[in-house]
Amino acid sequence: MFADRAKIFIKSGKGGDGHVSFRREKFVPAGGPDGGDGGKGGDIIFQVDPGMNTLTDFRHVRKYVAGNGESGQKKRCHGANADDLVIKVPQGTVIKDFETGKVIADMSGENKRELILKGGRGGLGNTHFSTPTMQAPKYAQPGQEGAELWVTLELKVIADVGLVGFPNVGKSTLLSRVSNARPEIANYHFTTLQPHLGVVDLGGENSFIMADIPGLIEGASDGVGLGHDFLRHIERTRMLIHIVDAAGTEGRNPIDDIRVINAELEAYSPKLIHKPMIVAANKIDAIYDDGETEDPIAAIRAAMEPLGIPVYAISAVTGKGMKELLYAVSEKLKTIDRKEMVFEKEFDVVYATDRNLPYTIEKNKDGEFVVEGRRIEKMLGYTNLESEKGFQFFQRFLKENGILEELENAGIQDGDTVRMYGLSFDYYKE
């Protein structure tokens, strides 16, 4: 099964906690601190795998979590760094933030390997907090939390030529005749619900890759049917072949079809309508010439060629006119820049250290006001509350971050108990 879209959860690893320990050696009764640092958490890395051409694997595995760094140990031993988690994707995969739809990375062109989420830093052991006045610190720094995101993966077809047109106009038939692709072909709408790629081999540098883009309908740019899914595959093609049913076998006017599809392309992205285009007037084998009805090929040419869009009459079933069409496409491609379109980064990941982390205040069954939050936990890790200066710093932290004000809003009274990560304090208003 071809899968071109998937939603997955990714999370980088947490840094290991710093360690609290002291030297314990014979004849050294009061050894100094020797707690080691924690190891770094694993990164989340996306890497292009040339052997992949679908996102099917992500339909079965949706959660990717890197390992945590190990905690520091005594004797200043550093905790081991966690291994990075490398997620392999096909070339042309666009990674987007699920909530905003903004591009995080485009795995195209030279972008073969991208670090998406950094692992958390390891915490510092108590060795780092020794000072002349505090020679035996009994605290260490906790490891930094990893980052997590829900992301959308979108695989955009990378082809030289895209076949567009209404359903059942012969795109799949044409692709199967001129390339090695073997799409299913049947006479009903929306036979093609996934893009098919085929190599058109005209020898040497004249060869090119052609994609059968699933059929469009009016309103596709507004998301009608599978419109957005179909249209996004067209963005990377260098030129378009617009196939129409010149015989009008389904009662539609081929010139109106061209205008409707062009309007959908322009509504989705104005850049699409400016791509080089050739019209392939298909099903000429089904045109009945009664000598009275206007020649549909002449009518299509009269409408399109003044706009600079050449028209080639073909029959995908019999092969008539196919050679002329393919060589015209090959010559046109020689005039078009091969530079691949790569989407610019639009989204920056915000890490724990980059933002003012929230905190919670709840009153437990014992009447204590429990205050928690990762920033508070981190602050307690490097603050010596046994010293006067350390306690003053702690009080300023509570005031400057609005925690004292929130406690008062929650109804705290003088003498009430405040609990923070195992530490208890009596509250008294200044």
Side-chain angles (χ1 to χ4, degrees):
M1 176 181 176
F2 182 96
D4 67 347
R5 188 180 178 91
K7 175 188 174 184
I8 64 172
F9 174 81
I10 57 176
K11 182 178 181 180
S12 58
K14 175 186 178 296
D17 294 334
H19 187 68
V20 176
S21 63
F22 300 90
R23 291 174 59 195
R24 292 292 182 265
E25 299 177 25
K26 193 175 183 180
F27 307 120
V28 185
D34 70 348
D37 301 342
K40 177 181 174 296
D43 297 333
I44 295 290
I45 297 172
F46 280 73
Q47 180 174 303
V48 170
D49 183 347
M52 294 179 66
N53 56 13
T54 175
L55 298 176
T56 301
D57 292 347
F58 299 100
R59 297 286 179 90
H60 308 296
V61 182
R62 295 178 178 271
K63 188 176 182 179
Y64 296 82
V65 180
N68 297 330
E70 289 187 0
S71 297
Q73 302 297 323
K74 60 183 179 181
K75 296 184 179 180
R76 303 195 180 198
C77 289
H78 195 292
N81 295 335
D83 292 332
D84 297 331
L85 178 58
V86 179
I87 302 173
K88 295 184 177 181
V89 294
Q91 183 175 358
T93 300
V94 180
I95 306 164
K96 295 182 177 181
D97 173 55
F98 175 74
E99 293 294 332
T100 64
K102 292 184 177 180
V103 175
I104 299 173
D106 185 351
M107 307 302 291
S108 306
E110 300 298 320
N111 300 337
K112 304 297 184 184
R113 185 180 172 94
E114 292 281 343
L115 192 159
I116 304 301
L117 294 181
K118 293 185 294 185
R121 293 193 308 271
L124 300 176
N126 68 333
T127 306
H128 295 271
F129 301 102
S130 177
T131 66
T133 57
M134 178 55 65
Q135 298 182 14
K138 298 178 182 179
Y139 49 86
Q141 189 180 43
Q144 181 187 3
E145 293 288 338
E148 59 184 53
L149 275 179
W150 279 98
V151 297
T152 302
L153 306 181
E154 293 183 357
L155 178 60
K156 297 199 176 184
V157 172
I158 301 175
D160 297 302
V161 180
L163 303 178
V164 299
F166 269 79
N168 204 30
V169 294
K171 299 190 300 298
S172 297
T173 303
L174 186 150
L175 184 66
S176 65
R177 171 173 282 276
V178 304
S179 75
N180 57 353
R182 293 293 176 264
E184 294 183 9
I185 301 170
N187 188 29
Y188 51 86
H189 288 182
F190 292 101
T191 298
T192 307
L193 295 181
Q194 58 191 43
H196 291 278
L197 294 176
V199 177
V200 180
D201 187 3
L202 298 180
E205 297 181 357
N206 293 321
S207 301
F208 55 87
I209 298 176
M210 180 180 287
D212 169 17
I213 307 299
L216 300 177
I217 58 174
E218 191 167 6
S221 59
D222 295 325
V224 174
L226 298 177
H228 284 171
D229 292 332
F230 294 164
L231 283 162
R232 109 173 142 262
H233 291 292
I234 303 174
E235 292 182 273
R236 280 194 167 135
T237 57
R238 295 163 61 201
M239 68 173 293
L240 303 176
I241 298 179
H242 195 141
I243 302 181
V244 294
D245 177 2
T249 57
E250 297 196 357
R252 294 195 311 270
N253 185 301
I255 298 175
D256 290 341
D257 281 2
I258 295 173
R259 289 170 178 162
V260 168
I261 296 299
N262 283 350
E264 293 303 323
L265 296 178
E266 186 172 19
Y268 180 76
S269 173
K271 294 180 180 179
L272 294 183
I273 198 64
H274 296 299
K275 283 184 180 289
M277 181 182 294
I278 289 178
V279 171
N282 191 26
K283 301 189 180 182
I284 58 173
D285 56 292
I287 295 177
Y288 175 69
D289 185 6
D290 58 6
E292 298 180 2
T293 308
E294 180 185 10
D295 179 8
I297 302 299
I300 296 172
R301 283 178 172 150
M304 295 294 107
E305 291 184 346
L307 302 177
I309 302 175
V311 177
Y312 288 84
I314 66 167
S315 170
V317 173
T318 67
K320 186 175 181 179
M322 297 295 291
K323 182 178 179 180
E324 292 79 3
L325 171 65
L326 296 180
Y327 276 98
V329 171
S330 177
E331 290 301 311
K332 184 63 178 177
L333 286 172
K334 293 177 182 178
T335 68
I336 304 173
D337 186 5
R338 281 186 175 274
K339 183 178 180 181
E340 186 178 327
M341 182 183 70
V342 178
F343 291 105
E344 296 292 332
K345 182 176 181 179
E346 301 172 330
F347 182 87
D348 288 312
V349 177
V350 179
Y351 294 93
T353 54
D354 300 332
R355 61 178 182 252
N356 185 16
L357 292 173
Y359 54 84
T360 60
I361 297 177
E362 295 182 357
K363 193 172 183 179
N364 64 19
K365 61 182 180 180
D366 296 324
E368 299 174 326
F369 289 81
V370 180
V371 183
E372 293 184 343
R374 283 184 291 176
R375 190 159 183 239
I376 296 172
E377 181 182 18
K378 181 179 178 182
M379 180 274 299
L380 290 174
Y382 58 72
T383 304
N384 178 17
L385 299 181
E386 296 178 4
S387 71
E388 183 178 354
K389 287 185 177 180
F391 197 77
Q392 288 175 349
F393 170 79
F394 170 67
Q395 289 181 308
R396 284 200 307 272
F397 175 89
L398 297 180
K399 184 175 182 179
E400 291 172 358
N401 285 272
I403 298 175
L404 294 181
E405 182 179 353
E406 288 299 323
L407 283 169
E408 291 175 4
N409 292 338
I412 196 168
Q413 302 293 325
D414 283 355
D416 287 344
T417 300
V418 178
R419 181 175 294 277
M420 298 183 185
Y421 295 97
L423 301 174
S424 297
F425 311 93
D426 291 333
Y427 176 83
Y428 291 99
K429 188 173 182 179
E430 296 180 348

